[in-house]
């Protein structure tokens, strides 16, 4: 199963204190290919903001799966982790409808809590070994 993304990141949203259950978290790649004009026709800022409306978002440097730009990783909530869920890597998320499908899944609980909608199977990717090493 894919591991948690590694590498330099910035927290776009840092709550002072988390109260209640830890929600799903999202990592968006925004470096050399993802989030750049190389992927044409995508409003990258709007995509990030839409995801941020559903869950905390972390912006990462290159996740080393450039051939799948734009890459989004959905990390399970505490409840999902307790159920054995691992982060779900999604690639080629270049359409607003795909972003909406991700948002809808996160709002129902995300990995380990709610089944992944079949439509998101079209976007599921396996990251390189370098990024999945423990």
């Amino acid at each position: 199963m894919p591991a948690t993304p590694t590498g330099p990141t910035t927290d776009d949203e840092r709550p002072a204190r988390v109260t209640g259950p830890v929600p799903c978290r999202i990592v968006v790649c925004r470096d050399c290919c993802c989030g750049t004009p190389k992927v044409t026709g995508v409003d990258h800022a709007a995509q990030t903001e839409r995801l941020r409306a559903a869950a905390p978002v972390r912006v990462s440097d290159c996740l080393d799966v450039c051939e799948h730009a734009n890459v989004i990783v959905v990390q399970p909530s505490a409840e999902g982790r307790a159920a054995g869920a691992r982060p779900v890597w999604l690639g080629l998320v270049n359409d607003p409808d795909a972003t909406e499908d991700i948002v809808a899944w996160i709002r129902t609980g995300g990995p380990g809590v709610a089944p992944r909608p079949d439509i998101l199977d079209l976007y599921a990717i396996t990251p390189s070994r370098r990024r999945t090493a423990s």
Side-chain angles (χ1 to χ4, degrees):
M1 288 292 224
T4 300
T6 60
T9 60
T10 59
D11 287 328
D12 286 341
E13 205 172 281
R14 289 183 193 215
R17 186 179 187 178
V18 175
T19 57
V22 177
C24 289
R25 297 186 185 275
I26 301 167
V27 177
V28 294
C29 185
R30 294 289 186 257
D31 195 28
C32 61
C33 295
C34 298
T36 72
K38 289 181 183 179
V39 180
T40 60
V42 178
D43 185 341
H44 304 287
Q47 181 184 56
T48 302
E49 287 307 311
R50 182 66 185 116
L51 293 167
R52 189 174 287 122
V57 171
R58 174 181 271 180
V59 175
S60 176
D61 288 346
C62 187
L63 293 175
D64 199 29
V65 286
C66 299
E67 67 277 13
H68 298 288
N70 283 321
V71 176
I72 295 172
V73 183
V74 180
Q75 297 176 323
S77 64
E79 180 183 357
R81 238 338 142 190
R86 305 288 303 151
V88 174
W89 289 61
L90 304 166
L92 302 173
V93 184
N94 301 321
D95 180 288
D97 290 337
T99 302
E100 289 304 316
D101 291 332
I102 295 167
V103 167
W105 180 42
I106 290 167
R107 288 199 168 143
T108 62
V113 176
R116 183 171 65 205
D118 291 340
I119 192 72
L120 292 182
D121 290 344
L122 298 172
Y123 300 95
I125 62 170
T126 302
S128 66
R129 286 192 111 117
R130 189 179 87 169
R131 295 288 181 194
T132 60
S134 301

